Amino acid sequence: MNRNLLSQTLSGLLLIALGNSVQAGELPDKQAELKLAAPSPDAEYLKMRALSTIPQGAFGDKVRLGYQLFVNTQQLRGKYVGNELNCVNCHMDAGRKANASPLWAAYLAYPAYRKKNDKVNSYQERIQGCFTYSMNGKAPESGSEPLVALSAYSYWLAMSGLMDKYGVAGAVPELSDEELLKGGKREDFVLPEAIAKATSLDERAKLPGRGFPAIPKPEQAYSPARGEQVYRAHCQSCHGENGEGVAMAGVYSLPPLWGPNSFNWGAGMHRVNTAANFIYENMPLGKSIQLSHQDAWDVAAFVVSHERPQDPRLKEGKVADLAERYHKHQGYYGQSVAEGVVLGTQSYPINPAKQ
Ligand code: HEC
Ligand code: HEC
């Protein structure tokens, strides 16, 4: 983590303020809720090659750019990013950590069919979703450089891991931009023979470690009030008294959990269950898997019961209508937790310029 923080800080200092705020245009799909089982205790996670082995040349440059955008997404602030987060804040260890929704497992699970809108989502569309909601920004155009680079980085992680696991030597095969953007779950995805023989498409799409694995349901109904006690004891020292995170010289080293600079009401992390799963497995940083399941649920409820940037799908409609349409899950949008204030009615702006 220190290396990431350092590189974020250094590149952040070089950040150039990028013009005015951009309005969210056409909206990609909302963040899919993955249905995931508890991690198996003997699961063997894919091990990818060291980043220092990314080759020189045009293809390697794309992979490296993807890595840089992933750990310092603030380079895209004002253009595609409207909060103070970086992709790595949720997909930890530069998108490599198992059970923190790693990119290597994700890459091999797209294109994916979505029942909800009867549509097939490519890998680039999934990334566009995280820009729109988790980054409270505006999705980069299909086929644009950031999406190619982030796809190339994900592909390289996945393929290098598979190659090492199945004894295939040599450099990761290069793919065209168009191929990279689709994802690796397709019959025409070119694979070294040893890998194609040893694994099926479906097995590769369900690698152990994918997503944020589900923890058991809480014994008592989750409670933001109890969660506040957990927060003060285990989270506040890093994430701040009001979930605002910690910044020095305008660069955040500890990310905001709610308020104007965090993910918006359309992001997957605003669901209590998704946040509980993430928190149990990954927080408090460096001491994860120590909270009780109940504490993880309660603190997740506390975190996501605060106001944050608006759900970009709200146009002229009312919060109640949007809540009815998109928020029939474990979340607080359209509900009141304190003093009759309905969450979603005093939300912060979508994709604002940096203050
Ligand atoms: C606030 C936390 C957060 C941030 C920041 C974030 N994501 Fe995500 N991302 C999620 C959640 C939550 C999911 C859905 C996982 C689930 O439901 O288990 C997800 C899913 C994904 C997936 C699909 C994973 C899979 O296995 O299907 C990809 C790819 C992805 N994000 C890429 C990105 C990229 C690229 C960025 C930065 C531009 C980013 N994310 C920023 C929270 C975040
Ligand atoms: C030692 C400092 C530290 C503590 C304590 C800590 N966190 Fe974090 N948290 C981080 C850092 C750093 C990240 C970003 C991880 C990265 O970029 O690799 C993070 C990321 C997160 C995220 C996803 C990003 C975002 O801004 O939404 C959530 C949610 C979160 N923490 C919740 C919690 C909760 C709840 C607790 C208490 C149970 C907690 N954290 C305790 C340092 C900490």
Side-chain angles (χ1 to χ4, degrees):
M1 179 202 94
N2 287 337
R3 227 176 357 178
N4 285 344
L5 283 183
L6 183 67
S7 73
Q8 273 177 32
T9 312
L10 292 176
S11 351
L13 290 172
L14 299 171
L15 189 103
I16 305 159
L18 285 164
N20 296 322
S21 71
V22 204
Q23 275 305 309
E26 195 191 322
L27 292 182
D29 241 348
K30 72 176 196 133
Q31 306 226 37
E33 178 166 355
L34 303 174
K35 297 275 177 252
L36 291 157
S40 142
D42 51 2
E44 214 185 274
Y45 303 124
L46 205 64
K47 293 185 193 70
M48 44 249 76
R49 291 183 188 165
L51 299 179
S52 55
T53 68
I54 298 171
Q56 297 305 313
F59 184 74
D61 288 345
K62 273 179 216 172
V63 176
R64 261 184 299 274
L65 176 64
Y67 165 78
Q68 285 161 12
L69 293 175
F70 199 81
V71 297
N72 177 16
T73 325
Q74 289 298 312
Q75 304 171 63
L76 304 175
R77 184 68 204 259
K79 207 169 175 201
Y80 305 123
V81 172
N83 63 18
E84 293 292 349
L85 300 185
N86 295 291
C87 308
V88 66
N89 293 154
C90 301
H91 303 274
M92 292 169 63
D93 189 21
R96 293 176 298 184
K97 185 172 182 283
N99 303 322
S101 199
L103 295 178
W104 42 267
Y107 191 78
L108 299 170
Y110 293 83
Y113 174 66
R114 295 278 310 279
K115 209 157 118 202
K116 195 165 181 123
N117 51 5
D118 197 22
K119 189 171 170 279
V120 175
N121 277 193
S122 64
Y123 192 67
Q124 75 167 337
E125 285 172 296
R126 189 61 191 79
I127 297 180
Q128 286 175 321
C130 267
F131 273 104
T132 307
Y133 303 109
S134 292
M135 307 304 291
N136 190 34
K138 174 183 174 281
E141 300 71 30
S142 299
S144 58
E145 189 184 48
L147 296 181
V148 170
L150 288 163
S151 302
Y153 175 53
S154 309
Y155 162 74
W156 189 87
L157 291 175
M159 186 60 91
S160 73
L162 287 174
M163 287 172 71
D164 285 0
K165 179 161 182 190
Y166 296 104
V168 183
V172 168
E174 298 186 5
L175 290 187
S176 69
D177 292 359
E178 197 190 335
E179 294 279 301
L180 285 170
L181 293 162
K182 292 179 189 168
K185 191 188 177 192
R186 47 195 173 93
E187 298 294 346
D188 59 346
F189 181 61
V190 181
L191 270 176
E193 207 182 313
I195 303 172
K197 269 196 183 144
T199 62
S200 73
L201 196 73
D202 286 335
E203 280 162 7
R204 292 191 299 273
K206 287 185 194 144
L207 291 182
R210 182 175 173 212
F212 305 115
I215 59 172
K217 291 203 167 63
E219 281 173 16
Q220 295 172 270
Y222 53 76
S223 142
R226 272 199 314 269
E228 177 164 11
Q229 307 303 314
V230 181
Y231 186 83
R232 303 279 167 237
H234 297 286
C235 321
Q236 176 172 324
S237 55
C238 286
H239 290 290
E241 196 180 340
N242 295 307
E244 72 277 24
V246 175
M248 282 173 83
V251 177
Y252 278 75
S253 51
L254 293 159
L257 303 186
W258 65 86
N261 299 317
S262 192
F263 53 91
N264 70 35
W265 280 115
M269 194 64 91
H270 94 276
R271 291 188 301 259
V272 183
N273 53 326
T274 304
N277 297 341
F278 169 85
I279 290 165
Y280 178 74
E281 194 62 51
N282 300 294
M283 291 291 139
L285 188 77
K287 295 195 290 184
S288 54
I289 325 193
Q290 295 211 3
L291 296 177
S292 66
H293 289 138
Q294 184 71 51
D295 282 353
W297 280 98
D298 290 341
V299 77
F302 176 69
V303 167
V304 301
S305 63
H306 289 90
E307 201 53 282
R308 53 182 62 262
Q310 186 53 266
D311 185 328
R313 291 165 299 193
L314 184 79
K315 297 278 190 279
E316 296 90 55
K318 293 200 183 78
V319 166
D321 298 340
L322 195 81
E324 174 64 22
R325 176 139 184 235
Y326 287 115
H327 288 264
K328 286 187 156 174
H329 47 234
Q330 302 180 71
Y332 289 95
Y333 188 79
Q335 297 184 29
S336 33
V337 205
E339 294 149 26
V341 180
V342 176
L343 288 160
T345 57
Q346 292 174 20
S347 296
Y348 299 99
I350 299 158
N351 200 15
K354 193 173 166 80
Q355 294 301 310

